[in-house]
Amino acid sequence: MRREGKTGKAIIVGGSIAGVSCAHALSGVGWEVVVLEKSFGHTTGSPTGAGLGLDPLSCDIITSWLGGSAPLQSRTLPLSVDQNQATDTEKKTHRILTRDEEFNFRAAHWADLHELLLNSLPPNILMWGHHFLSFSIADDKASVTVKAKVLETGEIVEIVGDLLIAADGCLSSIRRTFLPNHTLRYAGYCAWRGVLDYSENVDLETTIKGIRRVYPDMGKCLYFDLGPRTHCVLYELLNKRINWIWYINQPEPQTKGNSVTMKVSKEMINKMQEDANQFWVPELVKLMKATKEPFLNVIYDSDPIEKIFFDNVVLVGDAVHPTTPHCLRSTNMSLLDAQVLGKCLEKWGRGDLQSALSEYQSIRLPMVSKQVLHARKVGRIKQGLDVPDREIFDPNKASSEECCEIQQKNVPFFSYIPELLRS
């Protein structure tokens, strides 16, 4: 069945940041878009998203979608310093390994960024409570039909478009249709994560004063604390919140359903807090203990794939490049995916979809493949795991040369802007 009309129509499966970013990028170049999302509305407390860092290019992209920088700046804090430091587990002191004072990122809470992007879209674009079921491509490749279940009523609906965009995450069912043998790879460690909100709790004043004393650049610095075979991340978010992540080497745990977040018990939390005393300075341990409802992510990535579009189906975000989080790439890659895809569709038009998708693939695939593999390597270095052609990393003995690879500025394509976006 051929879809009538001159305007291209894209069906986006997944209403997370990758999905709503594609909605911005495509609607901005004249495409009709619809986003299918199985949840019933935006949540401010997403269990899988806490803090994130936006690079300068991502900030520029978001600014172009929102028509100015003020909305983004009002929801984020500047991160002008990237610092790696070794923690002496016995003396509970720090030694700076690397420090970059020209970092120029911005820190955001996942839910804040998602809400900002979502609320700036026309209200009729996102179809809440629609669970994606299946899709079919027309024999002449001119259209794609998506079936979804309306969860509130049980009704099955069909939506026809020119392009299907898979923004359905690292466990993408759409990717599995084309690449059934492509699986996630367990990194060898999990991450305890939490956000301490001290905005209305005067009892936390001593805790925050202690953190600011030990981490004097809190509020502008992305801190990486490296201990023996482990590391921790710490930075401040807007509205008096502090984001922390602690990576722990362990056998792969069992998760339930399509989730990379584990359900944790009070006993697990208590043990984590007690174990923290062995590694981290007392001020950081106190912050962890004061955090309500910390959660545990199982860390995965996947080997790079060789193709990211199939006829008129294209993959974006974590559906293409599940990655470990050490280089702050996941959200930044998703934002750039969306913008490059939109510009390619604008350049080639609805009449030459294959050329548009081919160019999207040629621009994005080499970049994301190298960034995923680099983030994997950085994670293994910081966790004291085996890395080919180098000794196990010991932060308390590491030379400046050995520390070079773990700096954010040495991520492949760190400051690169695709030619398509330079005009």
Side-chain angles (χ1 to χ4, degrees):
M1 177 173 60
R2 185 178 298 275
R3 204 184 70 82
E4 298 301 326
K6 295 181 179 180
T7 302
K9 179 177 180 179
I11 306 165
I12 303 168
V13 175
S16 192
I17 286 178
V20 296
S21 294
C22 285
H24 272 285
L26 270 66
S27 61
V29 297
W31 273 61
E32 179 186 353
V33 296
V34 59
V35 181
L36 305 181
E37 170 53 46
K38 64 182 178 182
S39 65
F40 285 96
H42 172 74
T43 174
T44 59
S46 172
T48 57
L52 55 89
L54 297 171
D55 64 27
L57 179 55
S58 290
C59 291
D60 288 344
I61 289 170
I62 295 170
T63 294
S64 73
W65 295 340
L66 303 183
S69 60
L72 181 62
Q73 291 185 356
S74 71
R75 295 294 191 97
T76 59
L77 284 180
L79 285 174
S80 58
V81 181
D82 170 34
Q83 180 164 306
N84 289 277
Q85 56 191 34
T87 297
D88 187 311
T89 56
E90 294 183 2
K91 298 178 180 179
K92 298 297 189 287
T93 57
H94 292 139
R95 178 174 70 91
I96 295 177
L97 301 175
T98 67
R99 182 176 171 89
D100 178 6
E101 297 185 352
E102 298 180 351
F103 190 46
N104 197 25
F105 274 46
R106 296 194 71 86
H109 191 283
W110 185 96
D112 290 347
L113 179 62
H114 184 250
E115 183 179 40
L116 178 65
L117 294 173
L118 182 64
N119 289 348
S120 53
L121 286 171
N124 61 332
I125 281 181
L126 206 140
M127 300 174 66
W128 297 108
H130 281 65
H131 178 59
F132 167 79
L133 296 175
S134 64
F135 70 92
S136 58
I137 300 171
D139 291 341
D140 62 0
K141 315 298 184 185
S143 65
V144 59
T145 301
V146 170
K147 288 186 178 181
K149 182 178 182 179
V150 183
L151 296 179
E152 189 173 354
T153 65
E155 178 188 6
I156 306 299
V157 297
E158 291 190 354
I159 305 169
V160 180
D162 301 286
L163 175 66
L164 171 60
I165 300 176
D168 52 343
C170 64
L171 297 167
S172 171
S173 61
I174 298 174
R175 182 189 66 221
R176 193 161 53 244
T177 301
F178 299 104
L179 302 169
N181 297 320
H182 186 79
T183 58
L184 296 181
R185 184 201 68 95
Y186 177 56
Y189 46 90
C190 295
W192 279 99
R193 306 187 65 171
V195 175
L196 177 66
D197 185 342
Y198 62 96
S199 60
E200 297 181 355
N201 191 339
V202 294
D203 295 334
L204 293 174
E205 183 177 349
T206 302
T207 300
I208 301 305
K209 284 183 177 179
I211 283 291
R212 295 198 185 283
R213 183 177 65 254
V214 178
Y215 299 88
D217 288 324
M218 184 62 65
K220 66 176 183 179
C221 183
L222 173 63
Y223 281 102
F224 291 90
D225 271 356
L226 280 71
R229 297 176 62 83
T230 189
H231 75 289
C232 193
V233 184
L234 190 68
Y235 56 94
E236 190 159 8
L237 302 171
L238 193 69
N239 297 326
K240 296 186 176 181
R241 294 171 292 178
I242 296 179
N243 180 76
W244 61 269
I245 312 168
W246 179 19
Y247 298 98
I248 300 175
N249 295 339
Q250 66 177 74
E252 183 177 4
Q254 295 296 316
T255 57
K256 293 184 178 180
N258 292 326
S259 176
V260 295
T261 300
M262 286 186 62
K263 183 176 178 61
V264 296
S265 64
K266 185 177 180 180
E267 291 73 19
M268 293 171 67
I269 294 173
N270 289 339
K271 185 178 187 308
M272 177 272 292
Q273 294 171 346
E274 288 303 312
D275 290 345
N277 289 307
Q278 302 176 33
F279 295 94
W280 310 119
V281 296
E283 292 83 359
L284 179 54
V285 176
K286 193 173 182 179
L287 181 143
M288 291 177 173
K289 290 181 177 180
T291 302
K292 295 181 180 179
E293 300 181 356
F295 59 95
L296 190 62
N297 274 154
V298 185
I299 304 300
Y300 292 98
D301 66 7
S302 70
D303 291 333
I305 58 180
E306 296 181 356
K307 188 174 177 62
I308 58 179
F309 80 94
F310 308 85
D311 295 322
N312 45 357
V313 179
V314 63
L315 311 179
V316 300
D318 287 344
V320 180
H321 41 68
T323 182
T324 57
H326 314 290
C327 297
L328 306 182
R329 286 294 90 204
S330 180
T331 299
N332 289 297
M333 287 195 288
S334 296
L335 290 162
L336 190 51
D337 287 347
Q339 187 73 335
V340 170
L341 178 60
K343 293 298 183 181
C344 288
L345 292 172
E346 180 184 37
K347 174 181 176 180
W348 293 97
R350 177 190 169 202
D352 197 351
L353 188 60
Q354 293 305 296
S355 292
L357 298 182
S358 294
E359 184 167 6
Y360 164 73
Q361 177 174 273
S362 69
I363 294 172
R364 294 301 294 140
L365 192 54
M367 294 180 65
V368 300
S369 298
K370 288 187 177 182
Q371 290 183 341
V372 166
L373 294 178
H374 183 81
R376 177 186 298 182
K377 184 177 182 179
V378 168
R380 294 189 67 82
I381 291 172
K382 290 185 174 182
Q383 287 299 107
L385 298 171
D386 291 333
V387 177
D389 303 321
R390 67 178 297 161
E391 297 292 326
I392 296 295
F393 186 76
D394 182 344
N396 285 301
K397 299 178 181 179
S399 67
S400 57
E401 291 77 14
E402 291 174 317
C403 295
C404 181
E405 284 182 289
I406 64 176
Q407 285 192 279
Q408 298 294 321
K409 67 181 181 180
N410 291 316
V411 173
F413 299 100
F414 180 73
S415 300
Y416 177 74
I417 300 176
E419 184 67 34
L420 191 70
L421 306 186
R422 294 180 190 178
S423 57

